[in-house]
């Protein structure tokens, strides 16, 4: 029962937040000089849009967002559309509707984020385990040093390094476009590098912490092979808190593909968001922004629920979830979210994404 | 003789101990920072880069927009062009150091603005609590639902690609986290006994906050600054990569990279130089940030 209350309360907050985001976005866009149809017609965004648009879409855009339509009516039209899934045509791509664009572009970004997360976990686990087991050897310090550097690399710089190595020097992978699976390799790796650094360090410290526990002594005393102790006991217990890191990481990846999409020319959601911003395509910009915000908030909710699933202490706290979060803020006073406590997804959202 | 010297040492130690606590605390942090040689080297590197960037009008061999007709796309280490030239015949080295100057200026200005806003809001929300606090937390919820760079993109799209628009966009995207951090610090310190003691001796709200709490809340804030400046530099060049950076011909690392990308197969030096230098700067900032964090002892791992 409590869980239903918790989810319900969070959903109400989510809807209120989305409402605020929509008002904020819409208000901001109104501050831009001129009405949007006018800017587009004058070529403020991209070339020859006025010719491109059929008279039909132009009149539909005029009906929805023309200069003579009052501002609040434009807003309610948009929001009604957002709820019913009818956002109307885009300015930049007059032959397509906004919901069509989102539906075609989001799976691409999502596929990138999912594969990048899988690659990150797959690479970071063995690295972290190895570093923990061979603690204080060159293997440990070396990999952790590389992990630190990787952690500080934003995805587009990492992507450029990969481009220079695999695309230019070795010439084995395509540098641009989105046709076959080989086009996925470089963008995925670019996205995965920073998460690998974070995860490998996290796995290492989590393993080390568990290796100190008394149950390890017991397991060894019972005569189990070292590998059995490591995999059967230590690793299993070290993996639980990992869920709390992977969740927010995936959330920030799902909305953070924008730069990689721009560099590699991938037609994902981030690409359309950018195009909409550059050409001031109001319907598409509103649509993608709201979609991103909703996506992020739903992911954060799921992450919080997954904390509850792995950590009974959080579960006990559920009724007081928002208070619990504030107390955690006070404890995690350095703001870096590096305390080894379950890190709030919200903490990573501000900067982690870039 | 030795005994006198020893007592002298003890005496000076006693003097240090009786000096104002803030000073000795900061000296200790500085010494802890100095022990981390990686951070010290990184700091030296960043200082050199900053000086070069600041002095770019003097150091740069050419202007960032000077076009050398007939000398387009020269390779690196050509005569007079250390890093070669771009498709318009502009010197890459000159453009690079001007770019770093722009990036540093924007990053530091945005950090200062967001820090000032965060100070006002964080202190008020943390100290006054109640209604102020609730408003801040509501704003925080909304901003956290809005990835910072998306908001920055939106703002630049509306305000245009001027330097100040970008600075404003970056600072608006990052004040929330710092406000929350300061609020949490103040709330923690508010219940401390020494603050209680100060209050019972008649210190007013202003004195309590500024003299008693802010000095102790500064540590974690400084850590966020050492991570915030490189994050802002990244965001600035990120905006340029999306086509929303400073307007041309003013160079930016991001626009150098995205413009050079079209030529990457045959002229990789166009993106190699900005990428390498930018990565070096980012890695240096990472080490500095780690050093600062260790110096403040806010991280236990």
């Amino acid at each position: 029962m409590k869980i239903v209350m918790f989810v319900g309360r969070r959903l109400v907050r989510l809807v209120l937040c989305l409402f605020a985001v929509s008002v904020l976005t819409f208000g901001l866009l109104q501050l831009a000089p001129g009405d949007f149809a006018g800017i587009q017609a004058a070529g403020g965004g991209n070339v020859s849009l006025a010719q491109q648009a059929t008279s039909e879409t132009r009149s539909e855009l005029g009906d929805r967002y023309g200069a003579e339509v009052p501002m609040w009516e434009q807003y309610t039209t948009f929001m009604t559309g957002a709820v019913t899934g009818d956002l109307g045509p885009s300015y930049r791509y007059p032959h397509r509707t906004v919901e069509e664009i989102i539906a075609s572009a989001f799976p691409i970004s999502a596929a990138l984020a999912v594969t990048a997360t899988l690659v990150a976990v797959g690479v970071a686990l063995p690295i972290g385990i190895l570093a923990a087991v061979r603690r204080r050897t060159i293997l440990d310090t070396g990999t952790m040093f590389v992990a630190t550097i990787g952690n500080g690399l934003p995805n587009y710089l990492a992507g450029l390094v990969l481009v220079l190595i695999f695309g230019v020097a070795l010439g084995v992978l395509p540098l641009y476009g989105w046709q076959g699976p080989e086009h996925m390799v470089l963008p995925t790796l670019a996205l995965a590098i920073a998460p690998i650094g974070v995860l490998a360090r996290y796995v290492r410290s989590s393993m080390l912490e568990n290796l100190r526990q008394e149950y390890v002594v017991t397991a060894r005393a019972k005569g189990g092979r070292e590998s059995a102790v490591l995999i059967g006991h230590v690793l299993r217990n070290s993996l639980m808190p990992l869920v709390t890191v992977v969740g927010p990481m995936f959330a920030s990846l799902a909305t953070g593909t924008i730069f990689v999409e721009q560099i590699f020319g991938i037609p994902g959601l981030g690409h359309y968001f950018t195009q909409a911003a550059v050409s001031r395509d109001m319907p598409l910009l509103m649509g993608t922004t709201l979609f991103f915000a909703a996506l992020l908030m739903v992911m954060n909710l799921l992450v919080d629920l997954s904390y509850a699933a792995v950590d009974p202490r959080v579960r006990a706290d559920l009724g007081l979830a928002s208070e619990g979060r504030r107390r955690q803020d006070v404890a995690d006073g350095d703001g870096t979210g590096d305390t080894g406590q379950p890190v709030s997804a919200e903490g990573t959202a501000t900067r982690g994404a870039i | 003789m030795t005994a006198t010297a020893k007592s002298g040492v003890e005496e000076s130690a006693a003097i240090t101990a009786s000096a104002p606590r803030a000073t000795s605390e900061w000296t200790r942090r500085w010494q802890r920072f100095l022990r981390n040689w990686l951070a010290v080297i990184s700091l030296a590197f960043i200082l050199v880069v900053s000086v070069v960037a600041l002095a770019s009008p003097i150091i740069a061999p050419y202007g960032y927009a000077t076009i050398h007709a007939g000398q387009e796309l020269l390779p690196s280490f050509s005569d007079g062009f250390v890093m070669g030239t771009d498709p318009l015949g502009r010197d890459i080295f000159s453009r690079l150091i001007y770019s770093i100057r722009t990036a540093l200026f924007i990053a530091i200005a945005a950090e200062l603005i967001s820090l000032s806003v965060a100070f006002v809001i964080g202190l008020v929300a943390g100290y006054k609590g109640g209604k102020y606090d609730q408003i801040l937390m509501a704003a925080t919820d909304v901003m956290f639902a809005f990835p910072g760079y998306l908001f920055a993109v939106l703002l630049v799209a509306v305000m245009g690609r001027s330097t100040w628009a970008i600075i404003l966009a970056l600072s608006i995207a990052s004040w929330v986290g710092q406000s929350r951090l300061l609020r949490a610090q103040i709330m923690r310190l508010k219940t401390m006994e020494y603050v209680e003691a100060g209050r019972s001796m008649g210190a007013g709200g202003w004195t309590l906050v500024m003299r008693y709490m802010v000095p102790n809340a500064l540590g974690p804030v400084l850590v966020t600054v050492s991570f915030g400046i490189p994050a802002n530099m990244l965001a600035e060049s990120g905006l340029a990569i999306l086509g929303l950076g400073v307007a041309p011909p003013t160079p930016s690392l991001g626009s150098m990279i995205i413009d050079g990308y079209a030529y990457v197969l045959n002229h990789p030096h166009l993106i190699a130089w900005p990428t390498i230098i930018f990565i070096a700067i980012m890695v240096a900032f990472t080490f500095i940030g780690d050093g600062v964090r260790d110096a403040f002892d806010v991280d236990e791992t």
Side-chain angles (χ1 to χ4, degrees):
Chain A
M1 202 54 225
K2 234 172 176 181
I3 186 90
V4 178
M5 291 277 289
F6 169 75
V7 174
R9 202 164 29 218
R10 286 291 299 265
L11 281 177
V12 170
R13 218 174 74 177
L14 194 148
V15 170
L16 286 178
C17 270
L18 270 182
F19 175 69
V21 167
S22 73
V23 172
L24 205 64
T25 317
F26 192 79
L28 263 177
L29 291 174
Q30 295 302 322
L31 290 180
D35 77 298
F36 284 91
I39 291 172
Q40 292 300 319
N46 246 283
V47 272
S48 71
L49 279 168
Q51 289 100 303
Q52 242 191 68
T54 62
S55 58
E56 194 186 319
T57 52
R58 230 179 308 165
S59 76
E60 192 183 345
L61 282 170
D63 284 349
R64 280 171 184 257
Y65 313 113
E68 68 285 351
V69 185
M71 202 197 283
W72 62 269
E73 205 181 307
Q74 295 186 25
Y75 176 76
T76 46
T77 309
F78 182 87
M79 287 313 282
T80 320
V83 175
T84 56
D86 167 33
L87 294 171
S90 134
Y91 291 143
R92 171 79 178 74
Y93 307 94
H95 302 296
R96 304 175 66 185
T97 61
V98 172
E99 61 270 15
E100 227 175 76
I101 293 176
I102 293 177
S104 75
F106 175 62
I108 294 177
S109 302
L112 267 180
V114 171
T115 41
T117 309
L118 291 179
V119 168
V121 173
V123 175
L125 264 185
I127 291 181
I129 294 170
L130 216 64
V133 175
R134 301 260 176 274
R135 194 183 181 197
R136 299 228 169 90
T137 64
I138 184 79
L139 205 72
D140 176 25
T141 47
T143 48
M144 284 308 116
F145 186 76
V146 175
T148 308
I149 292 179
N151 182 13
L153 269 190
N155 52 38
Y156 60 87
L157 286 183
L160 291 168
V161 174
L162 294 169
V163 160
L164 288 172
I165 296 173
F166 294 103
V168 179
L170 301 177
V172 286
L173 286 168
L175 302 177
Y176 195 83
W178 189 253
Q179 280 105 42
E182 73 273 15
H183 283 92
M184 269 191 88
V185 180
L186 288 183
T188 306
L189 286 180
L191 286 173
I193 281 182
I196 289 174
V198 179
L199 276 181
R201 295 209 295 188
Y202 201 86
V203 170
R204 175 181 174 273
S205 63
S206 180
M207 285 281 287
L208 285 177
E209 202 181 305
N210 274 290
L211 278 170
R212 278 198 292 271
Q213 303 294 318
E214 282 174 2
Y215 73 80
V216 179
V217 182
T218 315
R220 282 179 181 149
K222 274 163 48 187
R225 269 186 331 220
E226 184 64 18
S227 63
V229 174
L230 279 179
I231 294 169
H233 295 273
V234 180
L235 184 60
R236 253 183 71 185
N237 284 309
S238 308
L239 282 189
M240 279 232 292
L242 207 65
V243 177
T244 61
V245 191
V246 175
M249 181 174 285
F250 177 71
S252 86
L253 271 180
T255 53
T257 55
I258 175 167
F259 302 104
V260 167
E261 285 178 13
Q262 178 76 8
I263 285 181
F264 290 101
I266 299 166
L269 201 54
H271 167 79
Y272 285 102
F273 173 77
T274 311
Q275 286 301 317
V278 172
S279 57
R280 292 194 182 168
D281 180 345
M282 198 273 277
L284 187 55
L285 197 50
M286 281 284 285
T288 43
T289 305
L290 275 185
F291 187 83
F292 271 134
L295 183 68
L296 200 72
M297 284 190 273
V298 171
M299 301 281 285
N300 284 344
L301 178 58
L302 291 180
V303 167
D304 282 358
L305 286 178
S306 75
Y307 290 158
V310 294
D311 193 337
R313 282 169 301 182
V314 179
R315 202 154 47 224
D317 249 16
L318 257 191
L320 299 161
S322 65
E323 271 312 303
R325 160 154 305 163
R326 285 177 198 186
R327 263 184 277 119
Q328 185 186 312
D329 276 350
V330 179
D332 181 15
D334 64 348
T336 53
D338 234 5
T339 54
Q341 292 290 321
V343 182
S344 161
E346 299 175 343
T348 55
T350 34
R351 275 175 174 155
I354 289 184
Chain B
M1 194 59 201
T2 0
T4 345
K6 202 174 177 187
S7 79
V9 169
E10 270 165 17
E11 208 173 276
S12 71
I15 289 170
T16 328
S18 68
R21 195 171 161 274
T23 328
S24 69
E25 186 73 24
W26 285 97
T27 326
R28 235 181 47 225
R29 285 167 179 164
W30 177 240
Q31 279 162 353
R32 226 179 299 162
F33 181 81
L34 286 182
R35 273 206 296 275
N36 185 342
W37 58 271
L38 213 53
V40 174
I41 292 176
S42 303
L43 184 63
F45 173 72
I46 292 295
L47 286 179
V48 170
V49 169
S50 312
V51 169
V52 170
L54 271 182
S56 45
I58 306 166
I59 294 177
Y62 312 98
Y64 56 77
T66 314
I67 291 170
H68 302 269
Q71 292 180 295
E72 291 89 6
L73 288 169
L74 289 181
S76 299
F77 310 112
S78 309
D79 221 13
F81 304 97
V82 196
M83 296 183 178
T85 56
D86 72 0
L88 292 175
R90 296 175 298 191
D91 180 39
I92 292 180
F93 174 69
S94 306
R95 288 180 64 73
L96 190 61
I97 60 178
Y98 273 108
S99 298
I100 297 173
R101 187 170 79 149
T102 318
L104 274 176
F105 173 71
I106 290 180
I108 292 172
E111 191 66 26
L112 286 179
I113 292 178
S114 70
L115 205 58
S116 326
V117 175
F119 251 95
V120 175
I121 292 179
L123 295 190
V124 170
Y127 188 74
K128 294 264 184 198
K131 204 163 58 211
Y132 300 95
D133 194 32
Q134 281 169 5
I135 294 173
L136 170 73
M137 293 321 280
T140 311
D141 274 349
V142 176
M143 288 302 289
F144 270 137
F146 222 148
Y149 60 95
L150 288 191
F151 199 58
V153 167
L154 218 59
L155 279 173
V156 177
V158 169
M159 295 189 294
R161 297 167 61 177
S162 75
T163 308
W164 283 104
I166 293 168
I167 291 175
L168 201 64
L170 296 189
S171 38
I172 288 179
S174 64
W175 65 270
V176 179
Q178 284 173 329
S179 305
R180 258 172 86 117
L181 176 67
L182 267 161
R183 163 188 172 277
Q185 289 291 314
I186 296 297
M187 284 180 73
R188 180 176 63 87
L189 293 169
K190 205 161 67 171
T191 59
M192 293 264 180
E193 275 173 10
Y194 79 92
V195 175
E196 199 55 50
R199 187 176 296 134
S200 68
M201 287 192 302
W206 176 257
T207 322
L208 275 179
V209 171
M210 296 313 278
R211 293 283 308 273
Y212 284 69
M213 300 193 218
V214 166
N216 280 318
L218 272 183
V221 175
L222 213 74
V223 176
T224 65
V225 170
S226 66
F227 288 106
I229 290 176
N232 283 344
M233 289 179 75
L234 275 177
E236 184 268 333
S237 75
L239 282 174
I241 282 183
L242 301 181
L244 289 165
V246 284
T250 310
S252 152
L253 288 163
S255 61
M256 287 180 78
I257 286 170
I258 200 72
D259 294 345
Y261 199 75
Y263 301 83
V264 69
L265 262 187
N266 295 317
H267 306 280
H269 71 278
L270 287 178
I271 69 163
W273 287 112
T275 306
I276 292 168
I277 302 290
F278 203 2
I279 287 178
I281 293 174
M282 285 302 118
V283 170
F285 268 118
T286 306
F287 289 139
I288 294 176
D290 283 350
V292 171
R293 192 171 52 193
D294 293 346
F296 281 98
D297 213 7
V298 257
D299 186 20
E300 82 277 18
T301 38

